[in-house]
Structures are given as structure tokens and as C-alpha cells.
Amino acid sequence: MKLRSVDGGSASGTGAASQGESVYARMLDDIRSGVLAPGARLLETEIAQRLEVSRTPVREAIRRLEADGLVSHMPRAGATVRRLAYSEIMELYEMRTVLEGTAARLAARSASGVELDELQSLNDEMAGAEGDGAQLFALNQLFHRTLIDAARNRFLVKSVNAVHTTLLILGPSTLGRPDRAPAAVTEHQAVLDALRSRDGDAAEGAMRHHMEAAQRTRLRMLRDIGILDDSYPEDAL
């Protein structure tokens, strides 16, 4: 199966617009991968040199990231990647759990056979991609996107997209942990089994379990690298 990817822009036709989109996409990926970590200053000149572009598309990308809620302006520091407090991380995962649990419930009713087969194929590919963090991340994104689309609710899709964008601040995928990828595949399969049985309660319950497991792993990762602020309770796990 060929994975969809973000296009890097074109040298012809759309010109500046394509370059601006490309810079925005690259900065998003830098935030997700941890190249631009929470609290990192976004210096236009430095980023422009690194990406080999002018400052104009960088400035536009920073504005878009600010509108997305990923960047904030700090006194004397300028634009920086947002650093989420422990309470915000908990709220973010609570909302993700509610939204994706609801998506699973709706998909149990409305997903087509083709969509269920696609979800199975993606999960099977994840099982075979152990150790390949980039591939696991891409497949996992497609799995969740396909399931959410199968829910047939455009307002839900919009809300989930907003949550997923904010999650980028938290850095690399939890699937980079050696024990997390196999567990995620097993959790996905539980969701899939409930979808095929058209059992909305079971599908929602399985997805909530999946989200809660991802949240626990994320908190451990953030604790280990020192990203969580002083409000983080050490006994939370």
C-alpha cells in the first residue's frame, strides 16, 4: 500500500504559495519530530537559512502555527513552540478519548466493508513494521484517519483534526517505544473486531482503552525527557 505524503511544493505555477505551504509542512514535521521542541525559539533568519528559503514564507508559516495554537509569543523571546502544562495535556487526551471513542461508536454503525478491510490492512502493516518508527507513525495516522472518516460526521472530523494538530507539540510518536507498537496493534485489533460485529458499545470501549494506554505512555515519555512542568504530579502513573 502506498502511503500518502505531504507534497513539498512546486517550483512553477503557484510559486510563493507552494513555498509557503512547504515551509509550514516542514515546520509542522519539525515540531512533531522534536527538532523544534516545546519552548524552542523560532528565529526567522535561522529557520530560513536551514530550509534554504526567504524569511517571508517562514514568517507566514509561524503565523499559521500560531493560529493552530502550536506557537505563542513570549516576552523578550518572541515566537516559541508552546509548552503544554500537565493539566493541558490531560485535557487534550480527555478530549481525544471522547472524540475518537465516539468515532468508533459511529463507525460501528456506518463503516463500509471496504473501509473495514482497509483498516485491517493498515493494522496488519503496522504489525509488520516493528522497529520502523516513521512507517509506524504514518500507518497509525492513516488507521485513525480512516476510522474517523468512516464515522460519517464532518463536525467530528473537524474537532479531531484540531486535537491531532495540538498533539504535535508533544513531540515524537509514542510508537517509538519498543513495547508500544505491539500493544497498539493489539488495541487496534480489538476496535476492529468490535466494528466488524457492529457493536458500538464495544468499539467505543476498545478505542477509549487504546487512547488511555497511549496517554500513559505519552506521560512517561514526557517525564523521561523533562518536558513536563512543575505541576506534574509524580504519582500520576
Side-chain angles (χ1 to χ4, degrees), residues 1-233:
M1 186 195 70
K2 184 178 180 180
L3 296 179
R4 296 192 290 272
S5 62
V6 178
D7 184 63
S10 171
S12 63
T14 56
S18 294
Q19 189 177 62
E21 193 66 34
S22 175
V23 171
Y24 171 73
R26 290 184 68 179
M27 291 184 70
L28 271 179
D29 192 59
D30 283 348
I31 291 172
R32 182 199 65 77
S33 66
V35 171
L36 294 173
R41 295 179 65 190
L42 302 179
L43 303 176
E44 291 179 12
T45 301
E46 180 182 291
I47 294 171
Q49 290 176 345
R50 179 166 61 85
L51 301 183
E52 299 182 336
V53 297
S54 70
R55 291 175 61 181
T56 298
V58 173
R59 187 178 303 119
E60 293 172 354
I62 290 174
R63 287 173 183 160
R64 287 185 63 182
L65 292 169
E66 186 174 7
D68 289 340
L70 303 182
V71 167
S72 58
H73 280 267
M74 303 295 290
R76 297 181 297 279
T80 62
V81 179
R82 279 190 64 200
R83 183 189 294 271
L84 295 181
Y86 171 76
S87 60
E88 292 178 295
I89 296 171
M90 295 301 289
E91 290 167 10
L92 185 61
Y93 268 96
E94 284 171 1
M95 185 55 64
R96 186 185 185 194
T97 299
V98 169
L99 291 172
E100 298 214 30
T102 300
R105 173 181 287 278
L106 295 176
R109 177 188 64 195
S110 59
S112 68
V114 171
E115 287 170 323
L116 293 176
D117 289 343
E118 173 71 359
L119 287 166
Q120 187 65 64
S121 176
L122 289 167
N123 202 43
D124 290 345
E125 287 191 63
M126 282 187 67
E130 187 173 349
D132 187 338
Q135 181 79 342
L136 285 166
F137 173 75
L139 289 166
N140 187 62
Q141 274 200 321
L142 282 174
F143 181 93
H144 284 269
R145 189 181 305 140
T146 300
L147 188 148
I148 291 161
D149 287 343
R152 305 284 190 276
N153 187 307
R154 70 194 71 183
F155 300 104
L156 179 65
V157 170
K158 184 176 181 180
S159 297
V160 171
N161 285 342
V163 168
H164 283 186
T165 297
T166 306
L167 281 169
L168 294 177
I169 301 174
L170 302 181
S173 169
T174 59
L175 296 172
R177 290 261 175 153
D179 59 339
R180 182 61 199 141
V185 169
T186 299
E187 292 156 15
H188 283 174
Q189 192 60 54
V191 175
L192 270 166
D193 291 345
L195 293 178
R196 288 194 183 280
S197 299
R198 302 297 177 180
D199 187 334
D201 288 342
E204 180 174 4
M207 181 57 78
R208 281 178 170 268
H209 173 73
H210 177 47
M211 292 293 97
E212 289 163 359
Q215 178 183 8
R216 288 192 296 271
T217 303
R218 174 66 69 187
L219 290 174
R220 293 189 189 102
M221 287 177 63
L222 295 176
R223 179 192 59 188
D224 291 347
I225 62 177
I227 292 298
L228 288 173
D229 68 8
D230 292 338
S231 65
Y232 171 67

